[in-house]
Amino acid sequence: SGYVYDPALAADRVRTLRAALPDWARGYFAVKSNGFAPVLSHLSEAVDGFEAASLSEARTALAALREREGSEGADGGSARGERIAVSGPGKTPEMLSGLARLRAERGADVVVNVESELELHRTAAAARAADVVLPVTLRVNPERVPVSGSLVMGGAPSPFGLPEPRVPEAVATAMSLPELDLVGFHVHAVSGNTDAVAHAAYVLWCLEWAAETAKRHGVDLRVVDVGGGLGVPFEEGD
């Protein structure tokens, strides 16, 4: 068995999604869902950036984005730049060091979605060694999620993200580390959702929760990363 891809159609689907979003929203493609280089190359023309779960994925994504930049002119001139969001639990010090070097050496727009207070310290150590400041968000496992069903990943104890009651301590830790710039929050609490109305309500809830939490704890909120999410129906004709 094998797979047949239509990269041009995939890129067109992304453009359709982007056209439906407000100007301030950015669409990132998760490399772990399909890391096939020709697919990423086509998607790089339509997405705002890529989400990576490993250093290898980050490098693959940057290669696709560099290819896009080269095709848009020798002056390097896309306003979108080389944007990478890095997610996933258990990031190793070696991975974080590699990400810090990508930012130091290439000026890549790398945002690390941090899963724990330990990871905050590891990310700060990597940034310190590379002499850069790394933007980070805190991944939060909320106590309640306004979507029900088997697709919900939040609202219960999990190895993914900080339990919501620990957010104040984690915010204080992040803000005490000069090598980190706490830019916002990451909420990956719903996955594979094909109910558009429910998903819009979930995204709105994430934005409102992040704005309220940032105000309460003095965070200069610039990023709300709503991870997971959009489902793909594989039935014929959908």
Side-chain angles (χ1 to χ4, degrees):
S1 64
Y3 293 93
V4 177
Y5 300 119
D6 186 337
L9 177 60
D12 187 60
R13 291 290 175 87
V14 174
R15 292 188 187 97
T16 300
L17 174 62
R18 289 290 293 112
L21 294 172
D23 291 341
W24 51 262
R26 294 177 180 174
Y28 282 50
F29 180 77
V31 178
K32 63 177 173 288
S33 65
N34 191 328
F36 189 44
V39 170
L40 297 181
S41 178
H42 276 76
L43 287 174
S44 71
E45 301 168 6
V47 299
D48 295 295
F50 287 104
E51 189 255 10
S54 69
L55 183 57
S56 175
E57 286 186 3
R59 288 171 173 155
T60 299
L62 283 174
L65 292 169
R66 283 199 298 272
E67 184 179 318
R68 177 191 72 190
E69 296 294 302
S71 69
E72 290 178 351
D75 59 355
S78 168
R80 287 177 291 180
E82 296 180 348
R83 291 177 176 160
I84 301 289
V86 184
S87 303
K91 301 179 190 71
T92 65
E94 291 75 18
M95 176 184 175
L96 294 167
S97 294
L99 294 170
R101 287 196 299 272
L102 285 176
R103 183 163 178 82
E105 296 166 6
R106 294 199 47 81
D109 186 353
V110 178
V111 176
V112 182
N113 292 325
V114 173
E115 301 262 349
S116 67
E117 289 182 78
L118 173 60
E119 201 166 272
L120 282 172
H121 288 286
R122 286 179 171 173
T123 305
R128 191 181 312 122
D131 195 25
V132 294
V133 172
L134 278 175
V136 299
T137 69
L138 293 175
R139 178 173 177 176
V140 179
N141 179 19
E143 291 197 290
R144 64 172 188 85
V145 180
V147 178
S148 61
S150 60
L151 303 175
V152 173
M153 300 171 65
S158 166
F160 302 100
L162 288 150
E164 188 174 346
R166 294 191 64 92
V167 167
E169 301 164 57
V171 167
T173 298
M175 295 176 76
S176 73
L177 296 166
E179 301 86 2
L180 304 182
D181 178 16
L182 179 58
V183 296
F185 300 100
H186 175 47
V187 184
H188 187 135
V190 173
S191 185
N193 191 10
T194 56
D195 184 331
V197 174
H199 199 71
Y202 163 66
V203 172
L204 177 60
W205 176 83
C206 289
L207 294 171
E208 291 175 339
W209 181 93
E212 179 184 331
T213 304
K215 183 177 181 180
R216 187 183 310 129
H217 300 294
V219 175
D220 179 12
L221 183 64
R222 285 153 281 162
V223 173
V224 181
D225 186 342
V226 181
L230 299 177
V232 178
F234 288 99
E235 293 79 9
E236 187 175 349
D238 285 352

